[in-house]
Amino acid sequence: MLDAAIKALSQILSPPMRSILWRSIALALVLITVLAIGLQRLLSFLATSGEGWAEAMLGPSSHTPLNVLSWIVSIAAGFGVVFGAIFLMPAITSLVASVFVDEVADHVEREHYPAERPGVALPFGLAVSEGVKTALLTILVYLIALPFVFVAGAGLIAFFIATAWLLGREYFELAAMRFRPPKEAKAMRRDNAAIVFTAGLVIAAFVSIPIVNLATPLFGMAFMVHLHKRLSGPRPELIERERSVPAL
């Protein structure tokens, strides 16, 4: 597993992968910006509406205190948007990974496994639907764990464990589905749940590093391509090729 992680790290900065890296970073930044603007507009609307409702209830004399309170809430909301965007990075990278899954996997397979049969590109709709499901599940799990953030850091541990499970699950299944039907890929992930989760911990550690985590889709996908290859065992096409070579 360490060897797979090192290979994935070294390859994401290689010349063939740089184009994918810049495009994935651009898409991630667009998604983060859209999310931040949407949340900021929503929170500002709620703060303004709440101020008007409270002033109507308390009378004109409360205008100044409520205006100050609304200003404080708006600043807090801004920090909340930034904080939320950081915690939602795993969900964002899940969506980005679903777009570039086959490009990353193709580069890894060509460089490290040139003698083996290449994987079959996933239908775009299937890849994106898997990314959307993981992103939504990530948000749901985070919302459930959020109340525990202030309980001796239990929420942060829950965030990390949930991220490891969710991202390990998605990246491994995307790598496996290039060679297997979706049901078989999911079954293989369940059969190797402990290994996939451990690999997910590595991806969770990567995605927790600010700025560097923008490269998570490339690292996670390359990492899981290597892991899937190792768990698959000897490839039939290689065995047949070795048998066809006459002994000297």
Side-chain angles (χ1 to χ4, degrees):
M1 190 175 296
L2 179 60
D3 178 62
I6 292 173
K7 286 181 178 178
L9 281 172
S10 63
Q11 192 166 14
I12 61 176
L13 294 177
S14 64
M17 295 278 264
R18 286 175 190 166
S19 172
I20 306 174
L21 178 61
W22 290 121
R23 283 183 285 138
S24 68
I25 289 175
L27 180 57
L29 291 176
V30 168
L31 292 174
I32 292 171
T33 302
V34 171
L35 174 66
I37 292 175
L39 284 176
Q40 194 276 333
R41 293 288 176 85
L42 176 61
L43 292 173
S44 296
F45 171 77
L46 293 176
T48 303
S49 300
E51 181 185 0
W53 176 82
E55 186 173 345
M57 292 289 294
L58 299 175
S61 61
S62 64
H63 175 75
T64 300
L66 288 175
N67 192 31
V68 173
L69 179 61
S70 176
W71 181 71
I72 294 173
V73 170
S74 297
I75 294 176
F79 283 109
V81 167
V82 175
F83 186 74
I86 293 172
F87 271 87
L88 289 176
M89 182 58 73
I92 292 170
T93 58
S94 296
L95 292 173
V96 175
S98 66
V99 175
F100 298 103
V101 49
D102 288 307
E103 287 189 70
V104 176
D106 282 339
H107 281 298
V108 175
E109 290 168 9
R110 281 201 301 268
E111 179 174 339
H112 294 281
Y113 309 97
E116 300 186 18
R117 175 174 59 86
V120 177
L122 298 178
F124 184 74
L126 174 61
V128 172
S129 67
E130 290 294 323
V132 170
K133 285 190 292 185
T134 300
L136 293 177
L137 186 57
T138 300
I139 294 172
L140 176 61
V141 171
Y142 280 13
L143 289 175
I144 293 173
L146 188 59
F148 300 98
V149 168
F150 304 103
V151 183
L156 297 177
I157 297 174
F159 281 138
F160 188 80
I161 293 175
T163 300
W165 179 71
L166 290 165
L167 295 188
R169 173 178 176 268
E170 182 196 14
Y171 285 111
F172 183 82
E173 289 182 1
L174 288 175
M177 281 191 287
R178 287 172 52 81
F179 295 90
R180 314 164 187 274
K183 287 185 178 180
E184 186 178 333
K186 294 177 186 295
M188 183 181 185
R189 190 260 306 167
R190 288 192 295 269
D191 292 340
N192 298 278
I195 297 175
V196 173
F197 175 71
T198 303
L201 291 173
V202 178
I203 300 175
F206 190 93
V207 81
S208 66
I209 305 173
I211 301 178
V212 174
N213 55 14
L214 291 171
T216 301
L218 278 73
F219 172 74
M221 195 62 215
F223 184 32
M224 285 304 188
V225 167
H226 290 299
L227 185 63
H228 174 259
K229 288 287 187 180
R230 282 158 174 72
L231 293 177
S232 297
R235 305 300 299 172
E237 60 268 23
L238 288 183
I239 296 173
E240 293 301 321
R241 181 178 176 181
E242 289 175 0
R243 288 176 179 172
S244 64
V245 177
L248 297 178

